[in-house]
Amino acid sequence: MKVKRNLFLASLCVLFLVCYYIMNQTYDELARYPYATEENHDLILHYLDEKDIDFLLAQNVKPEQFLPYVECAGFQLEHTLWYDKAMQLQPADASYIVQFIETWKNEFTFHEMDTLLSAYLYADLAVYFENGDPFVEHASLMVDPSDLLSDLHAETSVYTYVPADLVALKELPHVNVNSTDKEVYVREAMVKPLEALSEAMSEASGVLNYDLIIVSGYVSYEEQKQLYQNALLQYGADQFLQYEDYPGHSEKQLGYTVRFAIAGVSDLQTITESEQAKWLREHAYEYGFIVRYPSGKEAITQKQAQPLTLRYVGEEAAKEMRDHDWTWEEWVKRNEQ
């Protein structure tokens, strides 16, 4: 009797193992994944295991988000959403995107990619992350230089950034003294405020643009290199920063700055005491502009006075600075507190 019982139990075990083997041979790991199709089934199983499929389900990752990269060297399934987002922001070869993300993803967050890849090219970012700032050691790259109130200084850089919405100033008196291209370019958002400012100046003075000429707007990284070299030669290493900035650290590159000039006048004191400079000090804020480097504030701005250089910051911020007699630096510091 005991022998029969043992044989029966052994038979059950064998039957269980046979059934388990048959079931295991026919079990489809992708049965839980609702996006599997006949076309992608074998490819998914070739590269992913059950743990990976658990990840796809938990993150609701669809095939079109990871299949373009799954065969690329260095592919990491958990970084799929990084690859997919990068491709949407700045389309490139899938292998290149995987290499870029796997090499440099520790330099920025997932949420920073939106603005970062809208402002900089992959190649430029790779060079910056690998070599750092070529002029200022330990400078950090500004993630969103398109922000109207970006605070650019020696510790931050926009490297080779070019605003996407630059517009040539066709209607206002201008000549670009920084470029062989005589057009002056600014961000689109400040064109209408600048035209309104010009119209107000013309009405107040009775002459077009109060006899002011726009001589500088957006200045590119390459143009800033030349300005930097010129200032370095003219003023020396100890003083050039009072007049210019390191390339990649100049607000001119943001596209929200314009510099006016009075024809035939170059003396700083004469410019400072001119009717045009006085008018700008009193009224520029009404159109969203501030005098960026006002006279008497050199110790704060760390720059020689530039009474005809304006920065567009919007009417609210400009009025606040005007009401409190704050420079840009003072306003930034108070808003950081």
Side-chain angles (χ1 to χ4, degrees):
M1 191 72 180
K2 186 175 181 180
V3 172
K4 289 182 178 180
R5 186 175 62 186
N6 288 339
L7 288 173
F8 177 72
L9 292 174
S11 298
L12 287 178
C13 289
V14 170
L15 180 62
F16 172 78
L17 291 172
V18 170
C19 291
Y20 178 80
Y21 174 79
I22 294 173
M23 291 176 62
N24 192 53
Q25 292 298 306
T26 58
Y27 173 68
D28 186 356
E29 292 178 292
L30 285 181
R32 299 176 296 127
Y33 185 56
Y35 305 112
T37 64
E38 291 183 7
E39 290 76 16
N40 63 35
H41 183 280
D42 292 342
L43 182 62
I44 294 175
L45 284 182
H46 179 75
Y47 285 99
L48 306 184
D49 57 22
E50 188 170 358
K51 182 179 177 182
D52 293 329
I53 294 169
D54 288 340
F55 177 85
L56 297 183
L57 290 167
Q59 299 297 322
N60 194 33
V61 180
K62 298 180 180 180
E64 60 266 26
Q65 292 179 294
F66 72 90
L67 284 181
Y69 315 99
V70 74
E71 298 180 88
C72 299
F75 169 79
Q76 297 290 325
L77 182 63
E78 60 268 29
H79 299 158
T80 290
L81 297 182
W82 289 70
Y83 308 147
D84 184 54
K85 188 173 188 179
M87 180 67 83
Q88 292 178 39
L89 292 167
Q90 197 176 128
D93 179 77
S95 295
Y96 185 85
I97 287 180
V98 170
Q99 180 188 28
F100 178 85
I101 293 297
E102 294 308 320
T103 304
W104 303 115
K105 69 180 293 292
N106 290 333
E107 299 290 337
F108 50 91
T109 68
F110 180 77
H111 296 293
E112 287 175 338
M113 274 205 298
D114 281 331
T115 49
L116 194 69
L117 291 180
S118 297
Y120 307 97
L121 298 175
Y122 291 116
D124 291 335
L125 287 171
V127 171
Y128 192 91
F129 292 148
E130 183 171 3
N131 302 310
D133 190 279
F135 298 95
V136 180
E137 189 175 6
H138 305 308
S140 60
L141 188 67
M142 183 176 286
V143 174
D144 185 12
S146 67
D147 188 343
L148 175 64
L149 300 176
S150 296
D151 181 34
L152 186 58
H153 46 77
E155 286 73 40
T156 59
S157 172
V158 292
Y159 195 37
T160 56
Y161 166 69
V162 179
D165 59 348
L166 291 174
V167 177
L169 293 175
K170 297 291 188 180
E171 305 301 323
L172 302 178
H174 65 274
V175 56
N176 192 335
V177 298
N178 300 317
S179 173
T180 54
D181 181 355
K182 296 305 179 182
E183 296 295 341
V184 173
Y185 296 89
V186 298
R187 300 290 297 273
E188 186 174 14
M190 68 175 282
V191 173
K192 288 186 177 179
L194 189 58
E195 290 176 344
L197 175 71
S198 174
E199 183 177 349
M201 289 194 297
S202 300
E203 290 179 359
S205 64
V207 295
L208 180 63
N209 217 46
Y210 217 142
D211 271 343
L212 291 174
I213 301 172
I214 299 174
V215 294
S216 179
Y218 162 76
V219 178
S220 71
Y221 181 73
E222 292 301 321
E223 290 166 346
Q224 189 61 33
K225 282 183 180 180
Q226 188 59 57
L227 293 175
Y228 156 73
Q229 292 291 345
N230 294 343
L232 195 60
L233 290 172
Q234 184 174 354
Y235 302 109
D238 295 332
Q239 296 186 24
F240 81 91
L241 283 176
Q242 296 179 36
Y243 302 90
E244 279 299 340
D245 299 285
Y246 291 107
H249 299 259
S250 172
E251 288 187 8
K252 301 169 188 173
Q253 198 173 332
L254 298 176
Y256 287 123
T257 300
V258 289
R259 179 163 66 90
F260 293 96
I262 304 172
V265 181
S266 59
D267 177 69
L268 178 58
Q269 185 171 348
T270 303
I271 294 173
T272 302
E273 295 174 353
S274 68
E275 292 300 316
Q276 292 93 328
K278 292 177 182 178
W279 192 93
L280 290 173
R281 287 197 299 270
E282 292 296 321
H283 299 285
Y285 80 94
E286 298 170 8
Y287 306 90
F289 293 89
I290 60 170
V291 177
R292 182 61 185 89
Y293 305 108
S295 300
K297 297 280 190 173
E298 292 86 349
I300 299 172
T301 65
Q302 298 295 300
K303 287 282 191 288
Q304 285 292 313
Q306 298 180 29
L308 299 182
T309 294
L310 305 184
R311 172 170 172 168
Y312 182 65
V313 296
E315 291 183 20
E316 182 179 350
K319 184 178 186 306
E320 187 176 7
M321 283 181 249
R322 161 68 179 174
D323 289 346
H324 294 86
D325 192 30
W326 288 338
T327 62
W328 168 258
E329 286 76 13
E330 291 170 305
W331 182 84
V332 167
K333 185 176 181 179
R334 288 176 180 274
N335 279 272
E336 287 177 345
Q337 295 175 350

